[in-house]
Amino acid sequence: QVHLVESGGGLVQAGGSLRLSCAASGRTFSSMHMGWFRQGLGKEREFVAAITWSGITTSYADSVKGRFTISRDNAKNTVYLQMNSLKPEDTAIYYCAGERTYFGTNSSRFGSWGQGTQVTVSS
């Protein structure tokens, strides 16, 4: 597995933007499919976006499609989530996750997880 550390969260007004980063340790990052998930207070963890190890294929939740963009830089062992046009309902702890053998939306299928970074969107 791989050690993942998220950063870039913070407080932003509705309509604003944030870019989250997820830095990975080790040399297996480039072989792993990556995903972003989020969990609001009192809610289940939900899928946000995912990207294959090659970066060729991406997937987004309907709630963020057109507003969020996932990308990766394998040379830097980093995956990003650019969040634009933020809404109060985007408020959550955002987690990055990795898994070599799974590309999809099911959080339980990802084996490596970061500690999360808080995103708060005020109205």
Side-chain angles (χ1 to χ4, degrees):
Q1 307 290 42
V2 64
H3 183 235
L4 305 173
V5 179
E6 303 95 336
S7 63
L11 175 64
V12 65
Q13 294 185 12
S17 298
L18 286 172
R19 189 175 80 156
L20 306 183
S21 298
C22 176
S25 64
R27 298 182 180 181
T28 62
F29 173 78
S30 61
S31 298
M32 302 185 77
H33 307 308
M34 300 296 297
W36 285 97
F37 297 81
R38 66 187 183 187
Q39 186 167 22
L41 285 175
K43 298 182 178 180
E44 295 183 346
R45 186 170 298 180
E46 66 175 355
F47 169 77
V48 176
I51 187 168
T52 56
W53 66 267
S54 66
I56 298 299
T57 303
T58 58
S59 181
Y60 297 93
D62 289 342
S63 60
V64 307
K65 193 172 184 178
R67 299 188 297 121
F68 291 9
T69 302
I70 188 171
S71 62
R72 69 190 298 161
D73 186 340
N74 287 347
K76 296 182 178 180
N77 277 13
T78 303
V79 63
Y80 305 95
L81 185 68
Q82 178 66 48
M83 305 185 295
N84 299 326
S85 301
L86 284 163
K87 305 174 181 179
E89 50 262 45
D90 295 319
T91 296
I93 301 175
Y94 283 71
Y95 301 89
C96 66
E99 177 58 50
R100 181 178 294 182
T101 61
Y102 178 74
F103 175 74
T105 64
N106 190 341
S107 63
S108 67
R109 298 291 302 275
F110 284 81
S112 298
W113 290 85
Q115 293 296 308
T117 185
Q118 177 70 48
V119 172
T120 303
V121 184
S122 62
S123 61

